[in-house]
Every structure is written in structure tokens, then in C-alpha cells.
Amino acid sequence: MSATAHADHPHPISVAREPRDADGSDPGPVELHARNVTFDWSDTPLHWIPDHPVASNFISVLNLLLPEGERWFVETYNEALPLVADDELAATMRGFIGQEAMHAEAHDHVLWEFLDHHGIDPRPYQRQMEWIFRKVLGPMRSGSPKARQKHLIERLWLIAALEHYTAILGDFALNNTWVESGADPGTTDLFTWHGAEEVEHRAVAHEVAIYFGDGYLRRGRAMLVALPVLLLLLNRGFRFIMKQDTSLSYNYFQRQYHYFRGVHAGVLPKMRKIVLATFSYFRPGFHPNEIGSTAQAVAYLATSPAARNAG
């Protein structure tokens, strides 16, 4: 079985990035554009990281969570785009929309051609994600223009908060030990390609939110929602997959043991590090380019097998 995603925005979009990368280098101008990708899940095992079934299932949770979340990003930015008078910012938003739409499509294929194929029924979890992102976090359909504008700004800051964590996870995807551990090449490429694009466009959501209205209160409210909800959904998705994975019969303590084995082996991120990274977001002068390396992300994207195979 193979899946091909096609870019709706194939033309490169120039983005000026003045703040420096985490290594102190100047990333220079970056082009944001959606890349066509092709994946084949025919021979991919459910436990795609050898000897790490818990780590494999934990990372696979992202396939459950991401499609609806990415579509919500796209919908919200399409709502905000007509209100942006800054041509350069509007261009970066279009590039962001194109990439996020590709992410949603690619991970959506994984649900049916990988998880469902291996006996993990994604439908119950997907219905919950649809309710959260389409109903709870969807656009305000009534109320005054001022109220709808305020609601939009709150959602843009929530996206900026979530993108803070996707950038951290993207940096992990570029600097883990999946390859050294013999992980499935296709799945490794899926998450590394996605992670690299998250690092590449990591500043966009922050800059868009600031454009519409900065403030520590807005940032705080967004983080107060983003972090607990993200941790809750990841944990819920992990328990969902583990319950359906009939090849494993681990109790709570065994799952914890294997989780920390994965962290120690470098195939899973340290959740404590991710949680503590919340505080950097509030440091005066913080900019998302401090997370990860643009040069590293772009270098991987130039060699990604999925992008090359799509032509």
C-alpha cells in the first residue's frame, strides 16, 4: 500500500529570518513551500523501532492526533489571512498553510494504511479529535465582529503555543537514534520530514500571533491550555493504542519501564525537558528560532527519501 500527498502550494515562498538559530548561526532567507511526499506502509511493522514496542506505539500516537490538529491550523489561518495587510507575513502564512495541509494528509494515510491495517482501529479516537478541533476550537459562528476577532486571536495564540512544542519535537526528530536503532526507514522518514518542516517554519505562528496582538496574558492563557491538553491527548492516545495492541500485555509499571528505556536509548524525547521548555517561551526577547537549526532541517528536507520518491 502506498500513499502520495500533493502540495496545494507548490511555489517557494521567501521568508526573512533575522533572529539566529540555537547554534548562533544566521539562518538567512528561507523558502517555505509544501513538499510532495510518498510513503509505502506495506512492510512496516506495528513496532517499527526494533526492541522498543512501547516507544513505537508512543510515537505512533502522533498519527492519531495530528491530522485533525493540522487541519484546524489550516482552517484558522485561512480565516486570519484576509485580515493581514503585511504582504511578507501573508506569504509566510500561505507557506505554513501548505506545509500543514501536507502534514495532515500524510498522517491521515497512516491511520488507514498502517494503524488500521495492524488492527488498531483509529475511529473512536478520531471522533474525539474531530469534536475537539471542529467544535470546541472551531471558529465562532455568531456574536459581534469584535467578539469573533477576539476569539480568532485567542486561537492564533493557542496555535503559537502548540507550535512551540512541535518545534521542540521536530528538533528531537532530527537528533534522535531511530536510524542507529534500526527503525523502519519509511516511518523514520515520515516523522523526520515532518519534524524538519516544523523546525523550518517554527517562527511563523509566533510572528502571526504577535501581529494580531501581543501580550503576556494572551501567551499565558494559551500555554495554560496548550500544555495540559497536549499531555492529556498524548497520554490518552498512548493508552488507546496499547489497549488495542494485542501483542503486548504490559501492566502500568512495565509500560513505564519500557518508556524510560526508550528515553535512555534516545528513541523517545524526555517529557520533563519538553514541559520545562514552556518557561523559555516567556523569557524577554525569546524567539522560536532559538529552537533547533534551520540549516539542519533544510539539509534533511533536501535528501528526504519520501520527497525524492514523489518527484
Side-chain angles (χ1 to χ4, degrees), residues 47 49-58 238-239 241-261:
H47 303 147
I49 307 174
D51 196 36
H52 286 281
V54 168
S56 299
N57 285 349
F58 192 87
F238 175 63
R239 289 188 288 110
I241 290 182
M242 290 295 289
K243 185 177 180 180
Q244 293 196 59
D245 185 352
T246 57
S247 68
L248 301 176
S249 57
Y250 294 155
N251 60 34
Y252 171 81
F253 297 103
Q254 289 172 314
R255 290 197 300 269
Q256 290 298 305
Y257 167 74
H258 285 285
Y259 171 81
F260 286 109
R261 271 190 67 239

Side-chain angles (χ1 to χ4, degrees), residues 19-36:
R20 295 182 176 273
D21 276 358
D23 59 4
S25 63
D26 182 359
V30 179
E31 292 183 339
L32 286 187
H33 61 98
R35 297 168 176 87
N36 291 332

